[in-house]
Amino acid sequence: MSVLVTGGLGYIGSHTCVELMNAGIDVVVADNLYNCKKSSYDRIKALVGRDFKFYECDIRDAEGLSGIFENESIESVIHFAGLKAVGESVEKPLEYFDNNVTGTLILLDVMRKYGCKKIVFSSSATVYGMNNVSPLVESMEVGGVTNPYGRTKFMIECILKDLYTSDNEWSICLLRYFNPIGAHKSGTMGEDPNGIPNNLMPYITQVAIGKRDHLTVYGDDYDTHDGTGVRDYIHVVDLALGHVKAVNKVAGESGLFIYNLGTGIGYSVLDVVKAFEKASGKKIPYEIGPRRSGDIATCYSDASKALNELGWRAERGLDEMCEDSWRWQSQNPNGYPD
């Protein structure tokens, strides 16, 4: 029996595939290669020392997904596949709703057709919206999202909750990520965004290797210890290990489960810059820009529910996140090979 990992060659998906296989779990990957490169497949194989099945398939392709379920013994699904850039989602809302929401509906329909009713969904802390006060806990009301990307995550959560209400044979785990950064300790796998990075760490690492002149810090007048926005950064390997726990959870019992995956610690933008400078020995020039619309001062998790119910906690601190990010970027200045 295998776990189907949609979007399994992407940043979080690839690290999760490594940890799943390290735990003795067979994986099958479906990825359309929109936001990743095929060479990620070779890096995963090299790290785990064995092969796995890969299908180049879009989640909106019902026929292609059906072929995977026909050919493989899929027991459960980890669903990463989706467009994920906040700014782009504002410019292309229809594309985001089509890919993320329609794609998920097609995936769920195919799963139901083949009697596979176990899924771990890659959600986001963005579903908590603007009005909840940190630390954010799973029992808070969600949905006050401010952009189409976040709205797709919220809508998919609603779909999955309604699906479980309609059929309690399903086992569904919603994992609300905070801010994944870092890379595999080997330096062979990491974050390789297309174009201009949308997230803080890959932008910092590209400044460090000379791809970008400077970092723009959006706002220094927030009510935080240094005026810059505070976020909960989690090492991508800790995040991946959370998925191993979640897959075991849905394999063992039916239900609807919701967990924050974060460290419970907030670091400011400038905290991250200083930690990266220490880890890399590189000076990161930055300029202060205006606040971005929709940004809040502070966002961090209460991850105690994941500890109590999954036995999971984040083990890696900010220094290690920065060291691993720099190792990846310095060894792979152009990211994954084409």
Side-chain angles (χ1 to χ4, degrees):
M1 292 295 230
S2 300
V3 176
L4 174 63
V5 185
T6 71
L9 297 190
Y11 173 47
I12 302 171
S14 60
H15 287 81
T16 299
C17 286
V18 167
E19 299 307 327
L20 287 167
M21 286 189 278
N22 283 344
I25 299 170
D26 292 326
V27 303
V28 174
V29 168
D31 201 306
N32 67 0
L33 304 179
Y34 176 80
N35 197 34
C36 61
K37 294 172 182 169
K38 178 74 178 296
S39 54
S40 171
Y41 170 65
D42 300 315
R43 299 286 179 95
I44 298 169
K45 283 198 302 182
L47 279 172
V48 299
R50 61 189 174 100
D51 203 355
F52 61 97
K53 292 288 186 69
F54 165 64
Y55 292 83
E56 186 172 343
C57 180
D58 192 293
I59 56 170
R60 294 167 294 181
D61 177 4
E63 185 177 345
L65 287 174
S66 295
I68 297 173
F69 279 87
E70 289 281 357
N71 294 331
E72 311 293 341
S73 297
I74 304 298
E75 182 178 36
S76 58
V77 174
I78 300 179
H79 181 29
F80 291 111
L83 301 176
K84 61 176 186 175
V86 170
E88 182 184 61
S89 78
V90 175
E91 298 167 3
K92 301 177 178 180
L94 294 183
E95 287 82 353
Y96 269 67
F97 288 117
D98 176 46
N99 189 91
N100 295 5
V101 180
T102 303
T104 300
L105 288 170
I106 292 169
L107 171 65
L108 292 170
D109 192 45
V110 172
M111 289 176 64
R112 180 175 59 178
K113 175 182 173 184
Y114 287 92
C116 177
K117 295 185 177 182
K118 303 177 189 300
I119 185 169
V120 176
F121 173 57
S122 167
S123 192
S124 168
T126 192
V127 300
Y128 288 109
M130 298 285 291
N131 300 319
N132 287 310
V133 177
S134 293
L136 300 171
V137 297
E138 293 88 346
S139 57
M140 288 176 169
E141 185 174 347
V142 296
V145 290
T146 58
N147 56 75
Y149 160 73
R151 203 160 287 114
T152 66
K153 293 294 188 184
F154 172 65
M155 289 173 70
I156 293 167
E157 283 202 5
C158 291
I159 290 164
L160 289 166
K161 289 174 183 177
D162 287 343
L163 180 59
Y164 177 70
T165 299
S166 73
D167 181 357
N168 291 164
E169 290 183 0
W170 281 83
S171 187
I172 297 169
C173 188
L174 311 178
L175 297 180
R176 294 174 179 165
Y177 309 165
F178 281 70
N179 296 73
I181 61 174
H184 193 272
K185 186 66 68 181
S186 65
T188 62
M189 285 182 15
E191 188 169 9
D192 182 20
N194 290 332
I196 299 172
N198 292 293
N199 298 322
L200 176 63
M201 183 57 77
Y203 209 106
I204 289 175
T205 62
Q206 290 191 9
V207 171
I209 61 168
K211 269 192 173 182
R212 311 282 168 194
D213 292 335
H214 67 277
L215 171 72
T216 299
V217 178
Y218 296 102
D220 66 347
D221 58 349
Y222 288 105
D223 184 18
T224 63
H225 64 276
D226 62 15
T228 65
V230 167
R231 298 293 181 268
D232 187 338
Y233 296 94
I234 176 174
H235 197 294
V236 66
V237 173
D238 280 329
L239 187 61
L241 289 167
H243 290 77
V244 177
K245 297 284 192 181
V247 162
N248 290 332
K249 179 74 171 178
V250 298
E253 59 184 299
S254 298
L256 175 69
F257 312 104
I258 305 173
Y259 301 107
N260 289 334
L261 294 185
T263 64
I265 302 170
Y267 293 103
S268 74
V269 174
L270 295 184
D271 287 336
V272 176
V273 169
K274 290 171 186 173
F276 185 84
E277 289 178 336
K278 175 186 171 187
S280 65
K282 298 284 186 177
K283 186 69 177 173
I284 305 299
Y286 65 86
E287 296 178 359
I288 303 299
R291 293 187 183 192
R292 292 181 299 192
S293 176
D295 275 355
I296 59 176
T298 301
C299 175
Y300 63 93
S301 69
D302 178 336
S304 58
K305 186 180 178 188
L307 175 61
N308 294 334
E309 296 188 14
L310 294 179
W312 173 91
R313 73 167 59 182
E315 302 286 351
R316 296 156 180 82
L318 182 60
D319 288 344
E320 189 170 356
M321 299 178 210
C322 292
E323 290 164 6
D324 292 343
S325 294
W326 175 236
R327 186 180 301 108
W328 153 254
Q329 188 72 86
S330 59
Q331 292 181 16
N332 303 270
N334 296 311
Y336 289 101
D338 290 321

